[in-house]
Amino acid sequence: MPAKEFEISKTFGVISEGDFQKEVNLISWNGRKEKIDIRGWNDTHTKCGKGIVLTSDEAKALREILNGMEL
């Protein structure tokens, strides 16, 4: 299986820190259109965990859901 190529064009923020810090980034995977990406990364961004990739519309829907939650 070939290695995945990615380009992080913007970091929105860090959700949690640890061996892998969970980040929200704008990433292009394998030359595709940039999407919002939430996953854990090591400190050099050479290894990552499983994550979730969202379109702008999906991120807006998630924001509405989170805004409506009582935490």
PDB file of all heavy atoms in Angstrom, residues 13-43:
ATOM      1  N   GLY A  13      -6.555  24.614  15.506  1.00  0.00           N
ATOM      2  CA  GLY A  13      -6.338  24.530  16.942  1.00  0.00           C
ATOM      3  C   GLY A  13      -6.045  23.114  17.395  1.00  0.00           C
ATOM      4  O   GLY A  13      -6.128  22.164  16.632  1.00  0.00           O
ATOM      5  N   VAL A  14      -5.696  23.015  18.684  1.00  0.00           N
ATOM      6  CA  VAL A  14      -5.378  21.735  19.321  1.00  0.00           C
ATOM      7  C   VAL A  14      -6.484  21.426  20.320  1.00  0.00           C
ATOM      8  O   VAL A  14      -6.820  22.261  21.157  1.00  0.00           O
ATOM      9  CB  VAL A  14      -4.002  21.806  20.022  1.00  0.00           C
ATOM     10  CG1 VAL A  14      -3.719  20.538  20.790  1.00  0.00           C
ATOM     11  CG2 VAL A  14      -2.904  22.085  19.005  1.00  0.00           C
ATOM     12  N   ILE A  15      -7.059  20.229  20.222  1.00  0.00           N
ATOM     13  CA  ILE A  15      -8.139  19.812  21.111  1.00  0.00           C
ATOM     14  C   ILE A  15      -7.570  19.201  22.385  1.00  0.00           C
ATOM     15  O   ILE A  15      -8.073  19.447  23.479  1.00  0.00           O
ATOM     16  CB  ILE A  15      -9.065  18.797  20.402  1.00  0.00           C
ATOM     17  CG1 ILE A  15      -9.750  19.474  19.218  1.00  0.00           C
ATOM     18  CG2 ILE A  15     -10.083  18.233  21.372  1.00  0.00           C
ATOM     19  CD1 ILE A  15     -10.539  18.513  18.346  1.00  0.00           C
ATOM     20  N   SER A  16      -6.527  18.375  22.269  1.00  0.00           N
ATOM     21  CA  SER A  16      -5.901  17.760  23.441  1.00  0.00           C
ATOM     22  C   SER A  16      -4.441  17.471  23.135  1.00  0.00           C
ATOM     23  O   SER A  16      -4.052  17.339  21.980  1.00  0.00           O
ATOM     24  CB  SER A  16      -6.635  16.476  23.836  1.00  0.00           C
ATOM     25  OG  SER A  16      -6.522  15.510  22.812  1.00  0.00           O
ATOM     26  N   GLU A  17      -3.647  17.381  24.204  1.00  0.00           N
ATOM     27  CA  GLU A  17      -2.220  17.122  24.048  1.00  0.00           C
ATOM     28  C   GLU A  17      -1.853  15.804  24.695  1.00  0.00           C
ATOM     29  O   GLU A  17      -2.532  15.334  25.595  1.00  0.00           O
ATOM     30  CB  GLU A  17      -1.414  18.270  24.654  1.00  0.00           C
ATOM     31  CG  GLU A  17      -1.641  19.577  23.913  1.00  0.00           C
ATOM     32  CD  GLU A  17      -0.741  20.704  24.392  1.00  0.00           C
ATOM     33  OE1 GLU A  17       0.198  20.430  25.158  1.00  0.00           O
ATOM     34  OE2 GLU A  17      -0.983  21.835  23.979  1.00  0.00           O
ATOM     35  N   GLY A  18      -0.788  15.209  24.213  1.00  0.00           N
ATOM     36  CA  GLY A  18      -0.285  13.936  24.721  1.00  0.00           C
ATOM     37  C   GLY A  18       0.756  13.438  23.749  1.00  0.00           C
ATOM     38  O   GLY A  18       1.359  14.220  23.014  1.00  0.00           O
ATOM     39  N   ASP A  19       0.983  12.108  23.725  1.00  0.00           N
ATOM     40  CA  ASP A  19       1.922  11.548  22.752  1.00  0.00           C
ATOM     41  C   ASP A  19       1.493  11.911  21.336  1.00  0.00           C
ATOM     42  O   ASP A  19       2.308  12.197  20.473  1.00  0.00           O
ATOM     43  CB  ASP A  19       2.000  10.028  22.893  1.00  0.00           C
ATOM     44  CG  ASP A  19       2.689   9.617  24.185  1.00  0.00           C
ATOM     45  OD1 ASP A  19       3.420  10.444  24.759  1.00  0.00           O
ATOM     46  OD2 ASP A  19       2.491   8.469  24.608  1.00  0.00           O
ATOM     47  N   PHE A  20       0.192  11.846  21.101  1.00  0.00           N
ATOM     48  CA  PHE A  20      -0.398  12.294  19.840  1.00  0.00           C
ATOM     49  C   PHE A  20      -1.340  13.420  20.208  1.00  0.00           C
ATOM     50  O   PHE A  20      -2.320  13.197  20.911  1.00  0.00           O
ATOM     51  CB  PHE A  20      -1.188  11.150  19.178  1.00  0.00           C
ATOM     52  CG  PHE A  20      -0.367  10.280  18.280  1.00  0.00           C
ATOM     53  CD1 PHE A  20       0.742   9.601  18.752  1.00  0.00           C
ATOM     54  CD2 PHE A  20      -0.696  10.141  16.942  1.00  0.00           C
ATOM     55  CE1 PHE A  20       1.504   8.803  17.928  1.00  0.00           C
ATOM     56  CE2 PHE A  20       0.056   9.335  16.107  1.00  0.00           C
ATOM     57  CZ  PHE A  20       1.163   8.659  16.599  1.00  0.00           C
ATOM     58  N   GLN A  21      -1.067  14.641  19.749  1.00  0.00           N
ATOM     59  CA  GLN A  21      -1.980  15.728  20.086  1.00  0.00           C
ATOM     60  C   GLN A  21      -3.066  15.817  19.036  1.00  0.00           C
ATOM     61  O   GLN A  21      -2.801  15.741  17.843  1.00  0.00           O
ATOM     62  CB  GLN A  21      -1.243  17.037  20.303  1.00  0.00           C
ATOM     63  CG  GLN A  21      -0.789  17.804  19.125  1.00  0.00           C
ATOM     64  CD  GLN A  21      -0.161  19.131  19.561  1.00  0.00           C
ATOM     65  OE1 GLN A  21       0.214  19.335  20.704  1.00  0.00           O
ATOM     66  NE2 GLN A  21      -0.039  20.038  18.635  1.00  0.00           N
ATOM     67  N   LYS A  22      -4.295  15.903  19.515  1.00  0.00           N
ATOM     68  CA  LYS A  22      -5.450  15.946  18.625  1.00  0.00           C
ATOM     69  C   LYS A  22      -5.601  17.364  18.091  1.00  0.00           C
ATOM     70  O   LYS A  22      -5.708  18.314  18.856  1.00  0.00           O
ATOM     71  CB  LYS A  22      -6.710  15.513  19.370  1.00  0.00           C
ATOM     72  CG  LYS A  22      -7.807  15.054  18.450  1.00  0.00           C
ATOM     73  CD  LYS A  22      -8.882  14.322  19.215  1.00  0.00           C
ATOM     74  CE  LYS A  22      -8.327  13.002  19.713  1.00  0.00           C
ATOM     75  NZ  LYS A  22      -9.209  12.327  20.660  1.00  0.00           N
ATOM     76  N   GLU A  23      -5.599  17.492  16.752  1.00  0.00           N
ATOM     77  CA  GLU A  23      -5.624  18.794  16.090  1.00  0.00           C
ATOM     78  C   GLU A  23      -6.785  18.900  15.110  1.00  0.00           C
ATOM     79  O   GLU A  23      -7.251  17.900  14.581  1.00  0.00           O
ATOM     80  CB  GLU A  23      -4.332  19.020  15.294  1.00  0.00           C
ATOM     81  CG  GLU A  23      -3.076  18.966  16.108  1.00  0.00           C
ATOM     82  CD  GLU A  23      -1.822  19.160  15.259  1.00  0.00           C
ATOM     83  OE1 GLU A  23      -1.938  19.444  14.041  1.00  0.00           O
ATOM     84  OE2 GLU A  23      -0.725  19.011  15.818  1.00  0.00           O
ATOM     85  N   VAL A  24      -7.182  20.144  14.861  1.00  0.00           N
ATOM     86  CA  VAL A  24      -8.141  20.448  13.806  1.00  0.00           C
ATOM     87  C   VAL A  24      -7.365  21.230  12.746  1.00  0.00           C
ATOM     88  O   VAL A  24      -6.846  22.317  13.014  1.00  0.00           O
ATOM     89  CB  VAL A  24      -9.328  21.289  14.328  1.00  0.00           C
ATOM     90  CG1 VAL A  24     -10.316  21.566  13.200  1.00  0.00           C
ATOM     91  CG2 VAL A  24     -10.013  20.601  15.506  1.00  0.00           C
ATOM     92  N   ASN A  25      -7.249  20.647  11.554  1.00  0.00           N
ATOM     93  CA  ASN A  25      -6.452  21.227  10.475  1.00  0.00           C
ATOM     94  C   ASN A  25      -7.234  21.265   9.167  1.00  0.00           C
ATOM     95  O   ASN A  25      -8.216  20.535   8.997  1.00  0.00           O
ATOM     96  CB  ASN A  25      -5.191  20.386  10.231  1.00  0.00           C
ATOM     97  CG  ASN A  25      -4.262  20.366  11.413  1.00  0.00           C
ATOM     98  OD1 ASN A  25      -3.904  21.402  11.944  1.00  0.00           O
ATOM     99  ND2 ASN A  25      -3.868  19.180  11.837  1.00  0.00           N
ATOM    100  N   LEU A  26      -6.757  22.081   8.249  1.00  0.00           N
ATOM    101  CA  LEU A  26      -7.229  22.062   6.866  1.00  0.00           C
ATOM    102  C   LEU A  26      -6.157  21.321   6.075  1.00  0.00           C
ATOM    103  O   LEU A  26      -4.997  21.754   6.028  1.00  0.00           O
ATOM    104  CB  LEU A  26      -7.410  23.488   6.346  1.00  0.00           C
ATOM    105  CG  LEU A  26      -8.070  23.631   4.988  1.00  0.00           C
ATOM    106  CD1 LEU A  26      -9.500  23.086   5.022  1.00  0.00           C
ATOM    107  CD2 LEU A  26      -8.080  25.089   4.554  1.00  0.00           C
ATOM    108  N   ILE A  27      -6.520  20.145   5.520  1.00  0.00           N
ATOM    109  CA  ILE A  27      -5.533  19.263   4.891  1.00  0.00           C
ATOM    110  C   ILE A  27      -5.995  18.812   3.508  1.00  0.00           C
ATOM    111  O   ILE A  27      -7.173  18.548   3.294  1.00  0.00           O
ATOM    112  CB  ILE A  27      -5.302  18.001   5.757  1.00  0.00           C
ATOM    113  CG1 ILE A  27      -4.744  18.381   7.117  1.00  0.00           C
ATOM    114  CG2 ILE A  27      -4.364  17.024   5.062  1.00  0.00           C
ATOM    115  CD1 ILE A  27      -4.438  17.189   8.005  1.00  0.00           C
ATOM    116  N   SER A  28      -5.038  18.707   2.620  1.00  0.00           N
ATOM    117  CA  SER A  28      -5.252  18.067   1.326  1.00  0.00           C
ATOM    118  C   SER A  28      -4.577  16.701   1.399  1.00  0.00           C
ATOM    119  O   SER A  28      -3.373  16.611   1.644  1.00  0.00           O
ATOM    120  CB  SER A  28      -4.623  18.897   0.207  1.00  0.00           C
ATOM    121  OG  SER A  28      -4.623  18.169  -0.998  1.00  0.00           O
ATOM    122  N   TRP A  29      -5.353  15.632   1.224  1.00  0.00           N
ATOM    123  CA  TRP A  29      -4.821  14.266   1.224  1.00  0.00           C
ATOM    124  C   TRP A  29      -4.663  13.789  -0.217  1.00  0.00           C
ATOM    125  O   TRP A  29      -5.597  13.867  -1.003  1.00  0.00           O
ATOM    126  CB  TRP A  29      -5.769  13.312   1.960  1.00  0.00           C
ATOM    127  CG  TRP A  29      -5.759  13.495   3.444  1.00  0.00           C
ATOM    128  CD1 TRP A  29      -6.649  14.207   4.189  1.00  0.00           C
ATOM    129  CD2 TRP A  29      -4.812  12.968   4.364  1.00  0.00           C
ATOM    130  NE1 TRP A  29      -6.318  14.150   5.512  1.00  0.00           N
ATOM    131  CE2 TRP A  29      -5.190  13.389   5.654  1.00  0.00           C
ATOM    132  CE3 TRP A  29      -3.681  12.172   4.224  1.00  0.00           C
ATOM    133  CZ2 TRP A  29      -4.476  13.044   6.790  1.00  0.00           C
ATOM    134  CZ3 TRP A  29      -2.969  11.830   5.372  1.00  0.00           C
ATOM    135  CH2 TRP A  29      -3.371  12.263   6.634  1.00  0.00           C
ATOM    136  N   ASN A  30      -3.479  13.327  -0.562  1.00  0.00           N
ATOM    137  CA  ASN A  30      -3.188  12.757  -1.886  1.00  0.00           C
ATOM    138  C   ASN A  30      -3.592  13.681  -3.033  1.00  0.00           C
ATOM    139  O   ASN A  30      -4.117  13.238  -4.049  1.00  0.00           O
ATOM    140  CB  ASN A  30      -3.851  11.389  -2.031  1.00  0.00           C
ATOM    141  CG  ASN A  30      -3.305  10.389  -1.036  1.00  0.00           C
ATOM    142  OD1 ASN A  30      -2.098  10.308  -0.834  1.00  0.00           O
ATOM    143  ND2 ASN A  30      -4.181   9.646  -0.396  1.00  0.00           N
ATOM    144  N   GLY A  31      -3.365  14.996  -2.867  1.00  0.00           N
ATOM    145  CA  GLY A  31      -3.637  15.964  -3.921  1.00  0.00           C
ATOM    146  C   GLY A  31      -5.098  16.324  -4.109  1.00  0.00           C
ATOM    147  O   GLY A  31      -5.446  17.048  -5.036  1.00  0.00           O
ATOM    148  N   ARG A  32      -5.960  15.822  -3.241  1.00  0.00           N
ATOM    149  CA  ARG A  32      -7.391  16.128  -3.361  1.00  0.00           C
ATOM    150  C   ARG A  32      -7.708  17.484  -2.740  1.00  0.00           C
ATOM    151  O   ARG A  32      -6.869  18.109  -2.105  1.00  0.00           O
ATOM    152  CB  ARG A  32      -8.210  15.030  -2.676  1.00  0.00           C
ATOM    153  CG  ARG A  32      -8.102  13.695  -3.377  1.00  0.00           C
ATOM    154  CD  ARG A  32      -9.089  12.697  -2.773  1.00  0.00           C
ATOM    155  NE  ARG A  32      -8.989  11.419  -3.436  1.00  0.00           N
ATOM    156  CZ  ARG A  32      -8.405  10.353  -2.907  1.00  0.00           C
ATOM    157  NH1 ARG A  32      -7.853  10.397  -1.710  1.00  0.00           N
ATOM    158  NH2 ARG A  32      -8.356   9.222  -3.581  1.00  0.00           N
ATOM    159  N   LYS A  33      -8.943  17.919  -2.912  1.00  0.00           N
ATOM    160  CA  LYS A  33      -9.416  19.187  -2.368  1.00  0.00           C
ATOM    161  C   LYS A  33      -9.240  19.206  -0.849  1.00  0.00           C
ATOM    162  O   LYS A  33      -9.460  18.205  -0.180  1.00  0.00           O
ATOM    163  CB  LYS A  33     -10.901  19.378  -2.726  1.00  0.00           C
ATOM    164  CG  LYS A  33     -11.466  20.686  -2.283  1.00  0.00           C
ATOM    165  CD  LYS A  33     -12.915  20.829  -2.694  1.00  0.00           C
ATOM    166  CE  LYS A  33     -13.464  22.141  -2.166  1.00  0.00           C
ATOM    167  NZ  LYS A  33     -14.871  22.302  -2.435  1.00  0.00           N
ATOM    168  N   GLU A  34      -8.864  20.360  -0.320  1.00  0.00           N
ATOM    169  CA  GLU A  34      -8.675  20.505   1.122  1.00  0.00           C
ATOM    170  C   GLU A  34      -9.991  20.286   1.869  1.00  0.00           C
ATOM    171  O   GLU A  34     -11.053  20.695   1.403  1.00  0.00           O
ATOM    172  CB  GLU A  34      -8.177  21.914   1.458  1.00  0.00           C
ATOM    173  CG  GLU A  34      -6.807  22.218   0.937  1.00  0.00           C
ATOM    174  CD  GLU A  34      -6.425  23.645   1.194  1.00  0.00           C
ATOM    175  OE1 GLU A  34      -7.303  24.537   1.161  1.00  0.00           O
ATOM    176  OE2 GLU A  34      -5.240  23.885   1.426  1.00  0.00           O
ATOM    177  N   LYS A  35      -9.863  19.632   3.039  1.00  0.00           N
ATOM    178  CA  LYS A  35     -11.012  19.413   3.904  1.00  0.00           C
ATOM    179  C   LYS A  35     -10.574  19.608   5.345  1.00  0.00           C
ATOM    180  O   LYS A  35      -9.381  19.593   5.651  1.00  0.00           O
ATOM    181  CB  LYS A  35     -11.577  18.001   3.722  1.00  0.00           C
ATOM    182  CG  LYS A  35     -12.202  17.792   2.356  1.00  0.00           C
ATOM    183  CD  LYS A  35     -12.915  16.480   2.273  1.00  0.00           C
ATOM    184  CE  LYS A  35     -13.546  16.324   0.875  1.00  0.00           C
ATOM    185  NZ  LYS A  35     -14.215  15.047   0.737  1.00  0.00           N
ATOM    186  N   ILE A  36     -11.550  19.782   6.217  1.00  0.00           N
ATOM    187  CA  ILE A  36     -11.276  19.918   7.636  1.00  0.00           C
ATOM    188  C   ILE A  36     -11.006  18.527   8.194  1.00  0.00           C
ATOM    189  O   ILE A  36     -11.765  17.595   7.942  1.00  0.00           O
ATOM    190  CB  ILE A  36     -12.454  20.601   8.347  1.00  0.00           C
ATOM    191  CG1 ILE A  36     -12.614  22.011   7.775  1.00  0.00           C
ATOM    192  CG2 ILE A  36     -12.245  20.633   9.857  1.00  0.00           C
ATOM    193  CD1 ILE A  36     -13.928  22.661   8.094  1.00  0.00           C
ATOM    194  N   ASP A  37      -9.920  18.399   8.932  1.00  0.00           N
ATOM    195  CA  ASP A  37      -9.432  17.106   9.389  1.00  0.00           C
ATOM    196  C   ASP A  37      -9.209  17.162  10.903  1.00  0.00           C
ATOM    197  O   ASP A  37      -8.562  18.084  11.398  1.00  0.00           O
ATOM    198  CB  ASP A  37      -8.109  16.804   8.674  1.00  0.00           C
ATOM    199  CG  ASP A  37      -7.562  15.447   8.979  1.00  0.00           C
ATOM    200  OD1 ASP A  37      -6.869  15.304  10.006  1.00  0.00           O
ATOM    201  OD2 ASP A  37      -7.811  14.530   8.182  1.00  0.00           O
ATOM    202  N   ILE A  38      -9.757  16.184  11.622  1.00  0.00           N
ATOM    203  CA  ILE A  38      -9.577  16.088  13.067  1.00  0.00           C
ATOM    204  C   ILE A  38      -8.934  14.734  13.358  1.00  0.00           C
ATOM    205  O   ILE A  38      -9.522  13.693  13.074  1.00  0.00           O
ATOM    206  CB  ILE A  38     -10.926  16.199  13.813  1.00  0.00           C
ATOM    207  CG1 ILE A  38     -11.650  17.486  13.431  1.00  0.00           C
ATOM    208  CG2 ILE A  38     -10.715  16.108  15.323  1.00  0.00           C
ATOM    209  CD1 ILE A  38     -13.086  17.551  13.926  1.00  0.00           C
ATOM    210  N   ARG A  39      -7.697  14.750  13.906  1.00  0.00           N
ATOM    211  CA  ARG A  39      -7.008  13.502  14.231  1.00  0.00           C
ATOM    212  C   ARG A  39      -5.810  13.805  15.122  1.00  0.00           C
ATOM    213  O   ARG A  39      -5.401  14.948  15.252  1.00  0.00           O
ATOM    214  CB  ARG A  39      -6.570  12.738  12.988  1.00  0.00           C
ATOM    215  CG  ARG A  39      -5.418  13.319  12.232  1.00  0.00           C
ATOM    216  CD  ARG A  39      -5.065  12.512  10.966  1.00  0.00           C
ATOM    217  NE  ARG A  39      -6.146  12.594  10.015  1.00  0.00           N
ATOM    218  CZ  ARG A  39      -6.808  11.534   9.539  1.00  0.00           C
ATOM    219  NH1 ARG A  39      -6.473  10.314   9.899  1.00  0.00           N
ATOM    220  NH2 ARG A  39      -7.804  11.683   8.691  1.00  0.00           N
ATOM    221  N   GLY A  40      -5.249  12.747  15.693  1.00  0.00           N
ATOM    222  CA  GLY A  40      -4.052  12.877  16.503  1.00  0.00           C
ATOM    223  C   GLY A  40      -2.798  12.792  15.648  1.00  0.00           C
ATOM    224  O   GLY A  40      -2.731  11.997  14.709  1.00  0.00           O
ATOM    225  N   TRP A  41      -1.812  13.618  15.987  1.00  0.00           N
ATOM    226  CA  TRP A  41      -0.530  13.662  15.275  1.00  0.00           C
ATOM    227  C   TRP A  41       0.608  13.596  16.275  1.00  0.00           C
ATOM    228  O   TRP A  41       0.495  14.127  17.385  1.00  0.00           O
ATOM    229  CB  TRP A  41      -0.381  14.984  14.506  1.00  0.00           C
ATOM    230  CG  TRP A  41      -1.297  15.133  13.355  1.00  0.00           C
ATOM    231  CD1 TRP A  41      -2.547  15.685  13.355  1.00  0.00           C
ATOM    232  CD2 TRP A  41      -1.046  14.733  12.010  1.00  0.00           C
ATOM    233  NE1 TRP A  41      -3.085  15.649  12.097  1.00  0.00           N
ATOM    234  CE2 TRP A  41      -2.176  15.073  11.249  1.00  0.00           C
ATOM    235  CE3 TRP A  41       0.030  14.126  11.383  1.00  0.00           C
ATOM    236  CZ2 TRP A  41      -2.268  14.816   9.888  1.00  0.00           C
ATOM    237  CZ3 TRP A  41      -0.058  13.873  10.025  1.00  0.00           C
ATOM    238  CH2 TRP A  41      -1.194  14.216   9.292  1.00  0.00           C
ATOM    239  N   ASN A  42       1.738  13.013  15.855  1.00  0.00           N
ATOM    240  CA  ASN A  42       2.932  13.123  16.685  1.00  0.00           C
ATOM    241  C   ASN A  42       3.488  14.533  16.517  1.00  0.00           C
ATOM    242  O   ASN A  42       3.008  15.304  15.683  1.00  0.00           O
ATOM    243  CB  ASN A  42       3.960  12.030  16.352  1.00  0.00           C
ATOM    244  CG  ASN A  42       4.604  12.182  14.993  1.00  0.00           C
ATOM    245  OD1 ASN A  42       4.186  12.987  14.153  1.00  0.00           O
ATOM    246  ND2 ASN A  42       5.622  11.386  14.743  1.00  0.00           N
ATOM    247  N   ASP A  43       4.512  14.868  17.302  1.00  0.00           N
ATOM    248  CA  ASP A  43       4.986  16.260  17.301  1.00  0.00           C
ATOM    249  C   ASP A  43       5.657  16.708  16.008  1.00  0.00           C
ATOM    250  O   ASP A  43       5.781  17.900  15.752  1.00  0.00           O
ATOM    251  CB  ASP A  43       5.899  16.523  18.499  1.00  0.00           C
ATOM    252  CG  ASP A  43       7.121  15.631  18.535  1.00  0.00           C
ATOM    253  OD1 ASP A  43       7.204  14.673  17.740  1.00  0.00           O
ATOM    254  OD2 ASP A  43       7.998  15.887  19.374  1.00  0.00           O
TER     255      ASP A  43
END
